[in-house]
Amino acid sequence: MPPPEYANFEIDGRMRDPEQQEKLELREEELRQEHTKYLQQHPELRQVLNDFMSSVLLHQPEHAFDFAREYFSAFAEAEPGDVEAVTADAAERAKAAKAAESSGAAAESSG
């Protein structure tokens, strides 16, 4: 159910005004095409995101934002274009963050 302030504009997720709905759909398609083109031009982005998601799913951290900050901090220190080395470093940092998180949780439960 949409918020009440949208009731004048939407019905079941669609605009009440067909012309507005058509504009919205056209804009969504334009964005989809632009985003697809960008991803095709930058295949490394898909690889980085896939590696990050794999690491998250493997380690299943309690604090996802802390895990992400640690994972992506490797990229800030990297040489441009060194994706493979950075990805490996990021995975190690993420693993260390998960280990620190686990040891912190163990210390809390024993203390």
Side-chain angles (χ1 to χ4, degrees), residues 31-84:
L31 286 172
R32 194 173 296 111
Q33 289 175 6
E34 287 175 21
H35 296 165
T36 298
K37 181 179 177 184
Y38 183 84
L39 288 172
Q40 288 171 345
Q41 292 170 342
H42 300 279
E44 72 280 5
L45 181 59
R46 185 176 301 260
Q47 182 62 46
V48 166
L49 294 175
N50 283 339
D51 290 346
F52 171 68
M53 286 303 298
S54 294
S55 189
V56 167
L57 294 172
L58 175 68
H59 299 292
Q60 299 182 4
E62 282 292 316
H63 304 284
F65 288 111
D66 293 340
F67 187 85
R69 182 179 50 248
E70 188 64 33
Y71 184 91
F72 287 108
S73 68
F75 292 86
E77 300 166 10
E79 293 296 320
D82 199 4
V83 176
E84 290 175 13

Side-chain angles (χ1 to χ4, degrees), residues 2 5-6 13-14 16 23 27 29 37 40 43 48 54-55 65 68 71 80 86 91 93 99-100 104 109:
E5 60 269 20
Y6 295 148
R14 294 184 59 81
R16 285 183 184 260
K23 286 180 183 179
R27 181 64 182 140
E29 183 57 31
K37 181 179 177 184
Q40 288 171 345
V48 166
S54 294
S55 189
F65 288 111
Y71 184 91
V86 174
R93 287 171 183 250
S109 67

Side-chain angles (χ1 to χ4, degrees), residues 4-20:
E5 60 269 20
Y6 295 148
N8 293 330
F9 305 105
E10 292 184 13
I11 301 174
D12 295 328
R14 294 184 59 81
M15 303 298 287
R16 285 183 184 260
D17 180 354
E19 187 176 321
Q20 285 292 89

